[in-house]
Amino acid sequence: MARGLLLAAAAATCLAVPAEAAPTARPGSARPAPARDWTKTVVVTPQGGFRMGNPAAPVKLVEYGSLTCPHCAHFSTTARAALEARVRTGRLSFEFRNYILNGTDVAATLISRCAPPATYFRLTESLYATQPQWVARIEGITIDEKLKLSALPDAEMYGRIADIAGLTQLAASAGVAPQRAKACLADKAGLARIDAMNAAAGKLGVHSTPTFFVNGRMIRTQEWADLEPLIRQAGG
């Protein structure tokens, strides 16, 4: 996957247990506080995604997203607060699975997946929030520089992309030391894992980002306003 993805996008494109009982409400309070903040529960799933929330939530939202996709960044910045409010209650879980579109995306994904589960979503949000800046740094290099990059071994190529884009510095802000980031960028098993995730996504009919599934049903939208009623109807 590494060679073709650096200079051209992949065929895919970036398109536009039940919850614990809450404590009894105190007089005058609008609603009881949740017994547990499920946004603090983050694990890596067998499919390779990072899931936030109650594993037994009645509604399961899965996003296939690319870290270089502006529509995915838009969803992250506009929907995160409302999404996490629902995850917090234990009624909704949210899983993010990477769907790679290009070589810069590979480097960013390897960096993001280097973070421990507890800080994974914080780093991902930071990558989305600063996406225009670090993507522009890579897009700004010359064709000759891109050709030289693509001729490098994978470990060197993705490490160099990360350095140019400033991804290692962003990762450090989420507790990923530069040396650890370099190791993740050179990790052949990590690269094989995201290749396998792309292949599995394709079998599910995923060809663009973001693509969402609510309880296994593909939802063709890029907006929380479309997803939220479906989540509510499903019990989330």
Side-chain angles (χ1 to χ4, degrees):
M1 178 174 71
R3 303 298 138 199
L5 284 175
L6 178 62
L7 300 178
T13 58
C14 174
L15 300 179
V17 125
E20 300 176 22
T24 304
R26 291 174 296 180
S29 62
R31 67 173 59 178
R36 175 175 182 174
D37 182 355
W38 282 102
T39 65
K40 305 300 184 186
T41 301
V42 180
V43 299
V44 180
T45 68
Q47 294 79 14
F50 282 75
R51 185 187 65 220
M52 174 199 305
N54 180 1
V59 185
K60 295 172 173 58
L61 174 64
V62 175
E63 175 187 356
Y64 284 88
S66 159
L67 294 176
T68 57
C69 166
H71 301 295
C72 301
H74 170 77
F75 181 82
S76 175
T77 56
T78 60
R80 184 65 58 188
L83 189 155
E84 289 188 357
R86 290 187 177 273
V87 170
R88 191 169 287 111
T89 69
R91 304 294 298 173
L92 173 71
S93 67
F94 172 64
E95 181 179 348
F96 184 85
R97 299 178 188 172
N98 298 100
Y99 190 72
I100 303 304
L101 299 182
N102 50 62
T104 305
D105 198 2
V106 174
T109 295
L110 291 172
I111 283 279
S112 70
R113 295 175 65 84
C114 202
T119 59
Y120 172 79
F121 283 102
R122 176 157 62 89
L123 177 53
T124 300
E125 289 166 24
S126 178
L127 288 165
Y128 274 138
T130 58
Q131 183 194 84
Q133 289 76 41
W134 56 264
V135 168
R137 293 186 190 111
I138 296 298
E139 291 178 344
I141 66 176
T142 66
I143 292 295
D144 283 346
E145 289 172 316
K146 289 180 180 178
L147 289 171
K148 289 177 182 178
L149 277 175
S150 65
L152 294 172
D154 284 352
E156 291 183 43
M157 179 175 64
Y158 294 129
R160 181 64 181 141
I161 290 172
D163 286 342
I164 294 171
L167 297 174
T168 47
Q169 292 93 323
L170 280 171
S173 69
V176 180
Q179 230 175 349
R180 168 69 177 154
K182 291 293 185 185
C184 290
L185 288 161
D187 182 16
K188 291 182 179 180
L191 186 59
R193 186 57 170 143
I194 59 177
D195 271 340
M197 289 173 67
N198 259 45
K203 292 178 181 178
L204 292 175
V206 176
H207 300 295
S208 61
T209 58
T211 295
F212 297 95
F213 288 81
V214 176
N215 285 350
R217 174 190 168 198
M218 183 185 288
I219 308 298
R220 298 189 180 279
T221 186
Q222 301 171 9
E223 301 291 340
W224 173 253
D226 298 324
L227 285 170
E228 192 273 339
L230 300 176
I231 291 168
R232 187 175 64 249
Q233 291 165 16

